[in-house]
Amino acid sequence: MNKQESYACPVCNSFSDFLSGCPDCGNLLEDHGRLPDFYADYSPYRPIEDLKMTDGLPDAATHRCPHLVYCPECGYMNVQMIDEILI
């Protein structure tokens, strides 16, 4: 039997906390969740693997989860790719 590998984002699944410093001011960045969840009203309810096929990012091929990050100190905002882990 050929078992398909399965990956999961450690931040989305609370396996680990998101800890990263702002490149502009050094303050701790806040994780505001997966970027595809902001695309449309029902995006958070669509299967993650389905969104990966239509989000225009290389997240499906690279096993990385795009998160929107924000710095409350200086206003820096960007997308940070988080490496998914094999489960």
Side-chain angles (χ1 to χ4, degrees), residues 12-13 15-16 30 32 35 43 51 54 59 70 75 77 84:
C12 289
N13 291 284
F15 298 147
S16 63
E30 294 177 352
H32 283 256
L35 178 66
S43 292
L51 280 170
T54 59
D59 48 345
Y70 173 74
M77 184 179 287
E84 294 178 338

Side-chain angles (χ1 to χ4, degrees), residues 7-54:
Y7 290 84
C9 174
V11 175
C12 289
N13 291 284
S14 299
F15 298 147
S16 63
D17 293 329
F18 175 80
L19 297 172
S20 186
C22 176
D24 289 346
C25 72
N27 193 54
L28 194 61
L29 290 171
E30 294 177 352
D31 173 33
H32 283 256
R34 293 176 345 103
L35 178 66
D37 289 349
F38 293 91
Y39 289 160
D41 292 342
Y42 294 101
S43 292
Y45 306 105
R46 287 178 56 198
I48 291 173
E49 294 305 315
D50 180 47
L51 280 170
K52 286 182 177 184
M53 302 306 277
T54 59

